[in-house]
Amino acid sequence: GPKVLQIPSHQIIDMGQMVTLNCDPVSNHLYFYWYKQILGQQMEFLVNFYNGKVMEKSKLFKDQFSVERPDGSYFTLKIQPTALEDSAVYFCASSTAGGVSAETLYFGSGTRLTVL
Amino acid sequence: QQKVQQSPESLIVPEGAMTSLNCTFSDSASQYFAWYRQHSGKAPKALMSIFSNGEKEEGRFTIHLNKASLHFSLHIRDSQPSDSALYLCAVSTGSALGRLHFGAGTQLIVIP
């Protein structure tokens, strides 16, 4: 079936440094998402992205976070600067459409970010 | 703020048994209800979804929704060891593009 690829699977970074998480969504999908899962907790919505713009973001999407998908390449989540509380698994997802009648969200396997 | 809770947290069943997983939600305006399955270290993968009250069956899997009770469930008939995984329920109010609220999951182990 359709696959969403996330690179890398694990990243370790020092607090205060910048990190970019990469996501290669399903090729014909138009909507892109990031979710965050802190160890032992629920997966939580961060942001969705369509047509080059952030459509909606949650309170977890801090000012230090940004997303982009330049020229149809990777969909990226950048954190600058990183903080200890940013340590989590970040899941990327994509879908063909948005809204309640949306197609299923297809998730990647996640990038485990460890901030030291 | 939508609250989604799953029960039980973990479940061990013998092969061939019927498995029932539960999910409650708090927002009565919720319109989309789904179950995802996640094998260890893998991506969460959608199993089934439902929009309106009632039941929907796909193979060995049945989803049941009761909006008035703020509850939906997943039933697995003839459980197989390959069904062993983390099961996540997800709810959306529908107005937010792909903004799913997930439960913490039920870890299912099916013993051969």
Side-chain angles (χ1 to χ4, degrees), chain A residues 2-93:
Chain A
K3 283 192 190 299
V4 174
L5 299 177
Q6 289 191 242
I7 305 160
S9 58
H10 195 171
Q11 181 124 16
I12 301 173
I13 196 160
D14 291 325
M15 183 177 63
Q17 298 294 307
M18 182 195 76
V19 69
T20 300
L21 308 183
N22 297 299
C23 172
D24 188 9
V26 180
S27 60
N28 62 337
H29 285 186
L30 301 176
Y31 292 81
F32 312 107
Y33 317 87
W34 284 102
Y35 280 75
K36 176 182 180 181
Q37 185 176 33
I38 294 173
L39 186 64
Q41 298 184 22
Q42 280 137 281
M43 195 159 52
E44 294 192 85
F45 172 84
L46 278 177
V47 66
N48 55 29
F49 187 86
Y50 169 71
N51 198 26
K53 290 181 281 196
V54 170
M55 304 300 289
E56 188 180 7
K57 56 187 179 182
S58 72
K59 293 177 191 175
L60 297 178
F61 194 79
K62 304 182 299 184
D63 291 343
Q64 296 89 330
F65 288 26
S66 62
V67 291
E68 63 176 356
R69 192 185 186 214
D71 300 324
S73 59
Y74 286 147
F75 175 51
T76 63
L77 173 65
K78 184 187 290 186
I79 309 174
Q80 181 178 26
T82 50
L84 293 176
E85 61 265 26
D86 296 331
S87 294
V89 178
Y90 291 84
F91 289 94
C92 172

Side-chain angles (χ1 to χ4, degrees), chain B residues 38-94:
Chain B
Q38 185 179 21
H39 289 102
S40 182
K42 304 291 186 184
K45 187 175 178 182
L47 267 180
M48 292 180 70
S49 61
I50 193 168
F51 292 94
S52 52
N53 272 338
E55 284 192 356
K56 180 179 174 182
E57 182 177 335
E58 290 181 2
R60 296 185 293 110
F61 297 85
T62 302
I63 190 171
H64 180 87
L65 172 64
N66 184 331
K67 285 188 181 181
S69 300
L70 303 177
H71 175 267
F72 67 110
S73 56
L74 179 70
H75 306 275
I76 308 173
R77 178 171 44 86
D78 187 25
S79 300
Q80 299 297 306
S82 57
D83 296 329
S84 298
L86 182 68
Y87 287 78
L88 302 166
C89 67
V91 181
S92 172
T93 56

